[in-house]
Amino acid sequence: MVDLTALLADLAAESEQLDALVAPLPPQAWARPTPAPGWTVGHQIAHLAWTDEMTRLAATDVDAFYASVTSAPDVSRLVDDGAEQFLAPPAELLARWRAGRSALIDALTAVHPGDKLPWYGTRMSPASMATARIMETWAHGEDVADALGITRAPTSRLRHVAHLGFRTLGHGFAAHGRALPTAPVRVELTAPPSASGALASPAAASEDGSAGDVWAFGPVDAANRVTGPALDFCLLVTQRRHRADLALTATGATADEWLDVAQAFAGPPGEGREPRAASGAGAPA
């Protein structure tokens, strides 16, 4: 059984790492553009604060959560409008984000483990919701780091992102209007050096119980396979890098197609990112 307490501790730690990155920034740095078109560093943090609040509503007031969707002027702009709504001067935004993520952890702690919470186009358990929050916090933290010209060392928490990326294989195909694959896929990822040691939560335990330097998911005998660095896989499934910029190898038609449509976040298909040699970048998740 998933240890939700440990999983929420990992969520808090991921948020604190990003907090430590943005808290010392001067106000002008919060206005720096990030790889997501039209989004500054401030927009990235505002998005996280807004999504934390929507998650809290899903866990505490289902009617209010649905009302936030049905009352939206333009559902296709829900994410962008949410970021704009929560955008504020840095000190105010930072305080709002901190208070909101604390309230979210309290809310998810109180949910019965067997309950399913509403989300955009799906329903999720508290553990899955916490894992999704880790994924989004890490992914938007990458956008912030890119804007600041900083390379962050990955931690063992990245395995949550990898696990979610594997579990959402079917969603990536469905979101892009493609037939769901029937062939199983094996994923074998080289863990980053700084991510050695035990993961705080078993939520991302590999499908075959592998440990150590390789994070593995899926049947051992699957003909379709994806291999490469765990960091690269996480950057792909969160659509923070184009596959052309990553050292991932796909064997088999299903695995190869998956790398073109992989999407660990809920909702419609993301636009992804252009190869770094080209101009432009994709939309935020």
Side-chain angles (χ1 to χ4, degrees):
M1 183 175 181
V2 173
D3 185 346
L4 181 60
T5 300
L7 190 58
L8 291 173
D10 282 348
L11 172 57
E14 191 65 36
S15 299
E16 288 162 5
Q17 183 186 47
L18 179 55
D19 191 313
L21 184 61
V22 300
L25 294 176
Q28 59 269 27
W30 287 69
R32 286 190 186 182
T34 67
W39 277 28
T40 64
V41 169
H43 283 91
Q44 298 285 350
I45 301 303
H47 168 71
L48 291 175
W50 173 79
T51 314
D52 285 347
E53 174 60 12
M54 294 303 102
T55 308
R56 186 192 68 79
L57 282 182
T60 61
D61 192 336
V62 173
D63 290 340
F65 172 78
Y66 283 127
S68 72
V69 178
T70 58
S71 64
D74 182 352
V75 175
S76 68
R77 285 194 49 82
L78 199 62
V79 171
D80 289 294
D81 289 347
E84 289 290 346
Q85 176 189 347
F86 273 63
L87 196 61
E92 180 182 341
L93 175 55
L94 193 57
R96 177 182 293 174
W97 178 42
R98 288 170 175 170
R101 69 191 198 228
S102 177
L104 169 60
I105 287 177
D106 290 343
L108 290 178
T109 299
V111 176
H112 187 279
D115 287 351
K116 294 290 187 179
L117 308 179
W119 200 237
Y120 302 102
T122 187
R123 298 183 67 84
M124 301 170 70
S125 69
S128 293
M129 196 70 90
T131 303
R133 297 310 307 132
I134 293 173
M135 177 273 295
E136 274 227 282
T137 303
W138 176 80
H140 289 283
E142 283 297 296
D143 290 339
V144 171
D146 283 347
L148 300 176
I150 293 171
T151 299
R152 303 187 303 169
T155 72
S156 61
R157 296 187 299 274
L158 200 63
R159 190 167 176 177
H160 294 302
V161 183
H163 181 249
L164 186 61
F166 170 75
R167 292 293 298 272
T168 53
L169 184 155
H171 168 66
F173 280 82
H176 288 78
R178 304 192 187 187
L180 296 182
T182 56
V185 179
R186 171 75 168 181
V187 176
E188 294 183 354
L189 306 173
T190 305
S194 58
S196 60
L199 191 67
S201 165
S206 62
E207 299 296 303
D208 65 352
S210 63
D213 295 333
V214 175
W215 298 345
F217 311 97
V220 176
D221 59 351
N224 281 270
R225 310 176 77 83
V226 171
T227 59
L231 176 59
D232 287 22
F233 181 74
C234 293
L235 289 168
L236 179 86
V237 299
T238 57
Q239 298 190 358
R240 263 50 194 180
R241 295 289 188 277
H242 191 279
R243 67 177 291 186
D245 296 322
L246 302 171
L248 296 173
T249 299
T251 302
T254 297
D256 185 66
E257 185 177 5
W258 180 30
L259 295 192
D260 287 332
V261 299
Q263 177 173 318
F265 51 89
E271 296 178 12
R273 298 272 161 87
E274 295 294 329
R276 289 206 153 188
S279 59

